Amino acid sequence: MIRPLALALLFACGLAMPAAAQEWRPQRIAVLQALDKVTARVTTLRATLNQPERFGSLTITVRSCNARPPDEVPDAAAWLEITDSRAPANGAAVFRGWMFAEAPGVNMLEHPVYDIRIMECRPS
């Protein structure tokens, strides 16, 4: 059993406090890095929310883009839908999901020719 004085010390030192929730802020522009693996061409794309952006045979649509506030550890997360005009005509996306700037390997586009990566999210 923890005594009241010991409990007070734990709270005073911050040891028994829950971790602060990290905040995400919605942004309008996603800065993406696109790589053509065949030509080794790297291109920076500025994609506005819900406006399709082309890179090679890919069409990239950013549905959501969020960034951490300036006083927190920098990171960006974007929900992307990517289609390939060379894929079968059923219209299925070759990628649909969240990408994270600080953890690009967590969820990435698996494509034989192209790599897409989120770099940051900006207000405009």
Side-chain angles (χ1 to χ4, degrees), residues 7-101:
L7 188 58
L9 284 172
L10 285 174
F11 278 106
C13 294
L15 299 176
M17 298 177 131
Q22 293 188 351
E23 181 181 329
W24 289 97
R25 293 187 178 168
Q27 306 293 321
R28 295 183 33 79
I29 305 290
V31 179
L32 306 170
Q33 184 179 64
L35 168 66
D36 182 323
K37 298 176 194 176
V38 175
T39 64
R41 178 178 62 138
V42 176
T43 303
T44 300
L45 306 170
R46 289 177 50 91
T48 303
L49 288 183
N50 301 310
Q51 300 294 317
E53 189 73 34
R54 300 273 308 171
F55 181 73
S57 63
L58 300 181
T59 301
I60 305 152
T61 306
V62 179
R63 298 294 182 193
S64 179
C65 198
N66 301 294
R68 296 274 191 213
D71 60 334
E72 291 187 21
V73 176
D75 199 3
W79 177 269
L80 304 174
E81 293 176 359
I82 303 173
T83 58
D84 187 344
S85 63
R86 295 182 187 156
N90 63 5
V94 293
F95 179 86
R96 180 178 288 128
W98 288 101
M99 283 190 184
F100 300 92

Side-chain angles (χ1 to χ4, degrees), residues 37 94-95 98-99 103-111 115-116:
K37 298 176 194 176
V94 293
F95 179 86
W98 288 101
M99 283 190 184
V106 169
N107 197 20
M108 53 195 280
L109 169 68
E110 294 181 20
H111 193 277
D115 278 340
I116 302 293

